[in-house]
Structure formats: structure tokens, C-alpha cells
Amino acid sequence: MSRLEEAKKQYAALGIDVDAVIETLKKQPVSLHCWQGDDVIGFDHDGPLTGGIQTTGNYPGKARTPEELMADMDMVISLCPGMKKINVHACYAIFEDGFVDRDKLEPKHFEKWVQFAKKHGMGLDFNPTFFSHPMADSGLTLSSPDENIRNFWIEHGKACVRISEYFAKETGVPCVMNIWTGDGLKDIPADRMGPRVRYKESIEAILSEPFDKNLVKPCVESKVFGIGVEAYTVGSAEFSLTFAATHDGCLPLMDNGHYHPTEVVSDKIPALLAFFPEIALHITRPIRWDSDHVVLFDDETREMAKEIVRCDAFDRVYMALDYFDASINRIAAWTVGLRSWQKALLMAMLTPNAQLKELQDKGNYTELMVRSEEVKTLPFGDIWNYYCECCGAPVDGEWFAQVQAYEKDVLSKRA
Ligand code: RNT
Ligand code: ZN
């Protein structure tokens, strides 16, 4: 018996049909963020990354043009199993007939992204970019006390709603449009509520732009703090969650880098699913602060995946990656993160969840611990390799050589 057959047999003994798992998993879209390829810069400005987020490192080979970025994404897509979507930020607009500012963006500025998504048969997600722009220099955008600034960003948000709907219509896949701003203050505020009320009204103004709720899925992403915004974040967890809960069609988006260090998003997923029809995730790896490190196959990543699977919520959770590491080969960073999330999902599905739940419900906590521990050493690696093969993706041990060759032939030539 081959290793694969032996492994399948072991899972079958636990009531798990490996082939059925693979058939299901390979149809679940994971949104691949375009911003790992160029350190969250984009194509619409020359200035630095702002908004309380930062990339560190200057590993050679970052993408400088849409063509380079898309070529790099082609590579990542080919190296990872599973279905993908492409996640684009508004600052990645491509101007072929002249620059326009963010409040004037149109679908045509993203036509190349649509072509790229269509080439791969994928959907697109979208994000207004409320940072890295002169109108964001005060640190406040949608919550600014300056009406001109607020209106500029509201117009940007509305333009993004229209672009999101265009994405959905073109690709035939709903577009998740995530609203995140770095709005906040470095030091103790004298007014915590004023900015939040303005933020609320601004998001409401953006969402007053007409759109089809089946095509565009607006989200609000919360955050606990940012660099230079240590004392106060306008879009806190309570703000964002309550906004989503009180605005029909708006989803909460949890980024697992955006909570206090002992909080875990794995525990928040089922809490939100008890109330919201749909939720969205940014999957990242926090270290001490919102560090946006590359996702690994670590305990909390696995726990988050488990909750999606155990809650039977693939059709209710929009999964997107969000990290940016400029200190290592960016293609490898992207690939490790996406493969890790795929591993976590596969392992979650290769867990006898129904049996473990029954042990919990019967109060059989001793056996629950024993069985949960035994699952950890099942021959997961054989099934992972099989899943990669089924998806036409390289197995572990085979893909990195391709990245090294690409670095030598392509990335190292980018001055
Ligand atoms: C920042 C948020 C946000 C960004 C992207 C680029 O802390 O996580 O989602 O990472 O919009
Ligand atoms: Zn995020």
C-alpha cells in the first residue's frame, strides 16, 4: 500500500473521506493581496507608506510596475493550491490616459486588474486606500474635523463602491470592499466620540452610493492601534462591530493582527457567526503589535481555520490574506502565507470535528483531550502533498527552487 493509501485509510477510520475533503476545499476562494509584492506602495503616488502601517526591509526585487506585480502574482498563483481571488487596493489604479486623484477613480483605471482576474478565472476584492496621500497627512481621513478632507475621502469611498460593483459584474463573483482607515491620534484625545461620530456618518455617506448587495460586500475593519497612532484609534473593535451590526449589508472584518495580544480571532469567529450572516477576515501573523508578518502554519492560524470549518461556514466567511514582509523574497513570503492558510484549512477538514463535538457535549473531556492530541500526529503531510498534486501545484520541497530561479532570472534584474 502506498503512503497515500495508508494515510487515507487512517483518516477513513475516523470517518473522514479525504477525496471529498479535497473536492470541497479546492473550491473555497482565498483572496490574495496584491500589496505583498511592492511593500504596499501602489501606482498612484511617489510618497511613502503612511496610515500607521509600515513595511521593513529592503530585499531586492520588489515589483515596480503593474506588469511586474502581475507577473509575480502569476508565479504565486502557480505555486499555491486552492481557489484564489485577487485583492486590489485603490492605490493600485493603472493610469493609461492620465492621472486622476482618488476621489475621481473610475472602473477604467482597474481594467487591467479585471483582465488579470479573468485570465485566471478569479474574482476580485477591493479596498479604498485612505493612506499614503496628502489628504491623509493629518492622520484623520473619514473622521477628520475638516469637512473638505472628509468629503474628499467620502467621494473616494463612493468611487470604490462603483468600482467594486464593476469588478463583481465583470468577474461574476461578489466583490468584498473593505473600509479600513488608520485614523487615530498619537496621544491622549480630548474628544474620543467626535471623530467616531464623524467616521460613522462618513461611512454611511459612502454606503449611500447605490449598489447591489449581492454583488458588493462592504466591510469595516477595526484596529487597536497603529504606528504614530498609539493612544486612540477611531475605528476600534467596538466601533466597527457595532457599525456592521447596525447597517444592513455591511460586514465586520477582523484582522487577527488588530487585537490585544491575548485575544484570539479564532474565538471571535463563532461569536460573530452567531449573529452575522456573513463576516470577513484578514489573515496575518501578529508579533507583539500589528506586525503583518507572513502567515505560518502555527497554532492560532490552525485554530482560526478550524473554527470556519467547525462552524460549517465556508459560505459565510470571506477569507483574505494581509501581510507584507520586505525583508525576504516577496514571492516566497506570499507563497508561504497562502500555502500555510491552505494547510490550516486542510488540517481543519481532516479533523473528526463531529466526534470531538459530541465528546464535548457529553461532557467527556478526558477523551476529548486524548482524541484531540491524537489527531495532531496523523499523516497530514501525505494528504497535503496529495492536495497540492490534485490542484496542479508543487508539493513541499519542490516550489522553492522555482522561486530561486525566478529571483535569479527576473527579480535580481530589477534595479
Ligand atoms: C492595516 C490593515 C489594512 C492594511 C491593508 C493594506 O493595519 O490591516 O487591512 O493592511 O489595507
Ligand atoms: Zn488588515
Side-chain angles (χ1 to χ4, degrees), residues 249-270:
C250 186
L251 281 57
L253 186 146
M254 294 190 291
D255 177 312
N256 65 304
H258 289 188
Y259 295 88
H260 292 289
T262 57
E263 288 183 75
V264 281
V265 163
S266 53
D267 187 59
K268 299 176 193 293
I269 291 169

Side-chain angles (χ1 to χ4, degrees), residues 371-390:
R371 300 297 171 215
S372 298
E373 285 303 291
E374 286 172 353
V375 169
K376 293 179 179 172
T377 49
L378 288 170
F380 172 73
D382 293 325
I383 307 298
W384 166 249
N385 284 346
Y386 176 53
Y387 175 56
C388 290
E389 278 162 14
C390 290

Side-chain angles (χ1 to χ4, degrees), residues 84-217:
K84 296 106 186 162
K85 276 179 106 177
I86 305 295
N87 207 355
V88 178
H89 240 287
C91 60
Y92 290 78
I94 300 170
F95 301 109
E96 302 208 280
D97 56 357
F99 171 83
V100 299
D101 211 345
R102 294 208 187 140
D103 58 334
K104 303 266 170 3
L105 286 171
E106 290 178 53
K108 68 174 182 191
H109 301 119
F110 295 89
E111 217 180 293
K112 288 235 167 114
W113 285 108
V114 167
Q115 286 164 9
F116 181 73
K118 282 184 177 168
K119 175 180 95 177
H120 288 287
M122 292 173 189
L124 282 162
D125 292 327
F126 200 45
N127 307 260
T129 310
F130 298 102
F131 52 84
S132 303
H133 188 282
M135 289 292 254
D137 283 350
S138 72
L140 299 175
T141 62
L142 291 174
S143 70
S144 170
D146 180 334
E147 199 182 338
N148 283 332
I149 294 182
R150 279 203 314 280
N151 285 340
F152 174 84
W153 290 113
I154 289 168
E155 287 311 311
H156 175 56
K158 289 181 170 182
C160 289
V161 170
R162 297 189 289 270
I163 294 161
S164 298
E165 194 166 69
Y166 157 73
F167 281 175
K169 282 183 177 156
E170 288 291 325
T171 62
V173 181
C175 174
V176 175
M177 189 193 95
N178 179 43
I179 296 175
W180 172 78
T181 71
D183 286 23
L185 296 172
K186 184 181 175 72
D187 225 324
I188 320 294
D191 176 15
R192 292 174 186 270
M193 188 161 130
R196 288 187 173 135
V197 170
R198 292 193 292 267
Y199 195 25
K200 170 177 176 279
E201 288 169 358
S202 294
I203 304 173
E204 284 168 347
I206 292 172
L207 300 184
S208 74
E209 178 70 19
F211 64 90
D212 181 337
K213 285 188 182 136
N214 296 314
L215 298 182
V216 180
K217 305 282 177 177

